[in-house]
Amino acid sequence: MFAFWAKDKKTQHLDQDEENLVADYLAMQRPVKQKLIQDTELIAVDFETTGLDPKKDKIISMGFCPIHEGIIRLADCLHIVIRTQTNLKSANVAIHGLTDDVLNQGLSQKQALFKFIELTRGKVIIAHYHNIERSFIQKLAKQILGRTLPLSFIDSCWFARQQMRRKQQPITTDSLRLFNLRRKQGLPNYKAHNALEDAISTAELYISQQASLNIASEKIRLQDLGLFNYKT
């Protein structure tokens, strides 16, 4: 498998360390639904992008928030900005507060992808509506590696929807927004549209949702929270 993608003509030049990191990432087994959450390394991830269409839009920042044994590790959180090689529109600047000058000091797209690979290796990713993060990172992986990545997600938006269905509550797009769900759980308001703050916000919401299961923490399995596995 590794030999195949490494020789793909679409693959950008990788040094030996990068090749080893990707090979290791690809070789790791995906977690099974019966795995206990206490035995699982988690990391909340959020992307800010120039738009919602991965075919034409790009990631401009990433936020990472590790969770270890149910505790958010703030000291290990990370926020990175990414050079896009295109000028931002004024609407992007107004929403994210990131200017071209800021992005020009950021990581290259290749560096950002490998930082994502490094930080999510062996972990289940917590995301709010994970299809955004999945589609954008897979586009970047395809562009740089010539192939997509195996990924595992828990989706706080999906979990909230399932809870609302069980309680026969009305489900709307607005009711599923991250900050409305946080407010409903009694969590504090944070500034929106900052990748790191949104990653931390997602991590806090996930911990609140886990507590709402009314299952002893040592007995909670990935299937209780909803596990999405993607081989490639």
Side-chain angles (χ1 to χ4, degrees), residues 53 88 118 229:
D53 185 353
L88 295 178
E118 174 192 336
N229 271 332

Side-chain angles (χ1 to χ4, degrees), residues 7-8 41 57-58 62 72 110 122 143 148 154 158 221:
K7 295 179 180 179
D8 194 306
E41 289 295 322
D57 293 310
K58 297 182 178 181
M62 296 179 178
I72 293 174
K110 180 182 175 184
Q143 172 186 325
T148 55
I154 288 174
W158 178 89
R221 301 182 185 275

Side-chain angles (χ1 to χ4, degrees), residues 7-25:
K7 295 179 180 179
D8 194 306
K9 292 181 179 180
K10 295 181 181 179
T11 303
Q12 292 187 14
H13 173 72
L14 305 181
D15 62 30
Q16 191 61 54
D17 288 341
E18 290 169 339
E19 289 185 357
N20 291 341
L21 183 59
V22 176
D24 185 51
Y25 200 93

Side-chain angles (χ1 to χ4, degrees), residues 25-87:
Y25 200 93
L26 296 177
M28 296 198 70
Q29 293 185 342
R30 295 295 92 195
V32 296
K33 293 184 177 182
Q34 292 74 29
K35 185 175 183 179
L36 291 170
I37 200 73
Q38 68 177 10
D39 297 330
T40 306
E41 289 295 322
L42 305 171
I43 187 166
V45 176
D46 184 81
F47 297 162
E48 295 301 320
T49 63
T50 58
L52 297 177
D53 185 353
K55 292 181 180 179
K56 65 178 182 179
D57 293 310
K58 297 182 178 181
I59 305 170
I60 57 176
S61 65
M62 296 179 178
F64 301 91
C65 178
I67 304 170
H68 181 68
E69 296 181 349
I71 298 173
I72 293 174
R73 300 178 64 89
L74 287 176
D76 296 326
C77 289
L78 181 67
H79 182 240
I80 62 174
V81 296
I82 304 164
R83 299 195 298 272
T84 63
Q85 298 178 331
T86 56
N87 292 329

